[in-house]
Amino acid sequence: MTQKDKNEKSIQDKLTTIKYNCDSNSHLSVDLKKCAKCKDKICTKICPAKVYEYDENLKEIIVQYENCLECGACRIACPKDAIKWEYPSSGCGVIFKNN
């Protein structure tokens, strides 16, 4: 595969080159009271790994922390400052490999 081919990969193709060592505890927490006041739910749109999903039935954000790429986009974009992000426990989290 040439460098040009690598650069032209879709985000889904690139995400398949990432490995995770999942922690049993989430490194992400969401203040559901603040989220309830948010109209746009930008976290569900900005996250490249689709960590956040709005559940219409429960009327709350579901966090799938196991998918997190640790980019921090969610906490930067959240207009309500409702997302608390910490590094995963030592040895856990995302492992990037150059492929």
Side-chain angles (χ1 to χ4, degrees):
M1 180 177 287
T2 68
Q3 185 62 36
K4 182 180 178 186
D5 292 336
K6 287 182 183 181
N7 291 339
E8 292 179 3
K9 283 185 173 183
S10 71
I11 187 70
Q12 270 60 35
D13 289 336
K14 291 178 182 179
L15 287 174
T16 62
T17 66
I18 298 170
K19 293 173 57 179
Y20 301 90
N21 185 9
C22 289
D23 196 346
S24 58
N25 298 311
S26 178
H27 64 288
L28 303 167
S29 60
V30 175
D31 184 329
L32 296 177
K33 288 182 182 179
K34 289 181 180 179
C35 281
K37 298 175 186 175
C38 181
K39 288 183 181 180
D40 297 325
K41 310 292 189 242
I42 193 71
C43 60
T44 64
K45 299 170 186 130
I46 194 116
C47 178
K50 302 188 184 335
V51 169
Y52 303 93
E53 180 181 342
Y54 185 71
D55 186 309
E56 283 291 336
N57 294 328
L58 297 174
K59 301 290 186 212
E60 67 181 39
I61 294 289
I62 306 299
V63 180
Q64 300 170 30
Y65 73 93
E66 302 89 347
N67 297 341
C68 183
L69 300 174
E70 301 171 29
C71 68
C74 57
R75 63 183 169 167
I76 293 168
C78 180
K80 302 292 183 186
D81 196 30
I83 298 172
K84 183 179 176 189
W85 187 99
E86 297 176 354
Y87 285 104
S89 299
S90 180
C92 295
V94 67
I95 302 166
F96 295 100
K97 65 180 189 177
N98 189 6
N99 199 10

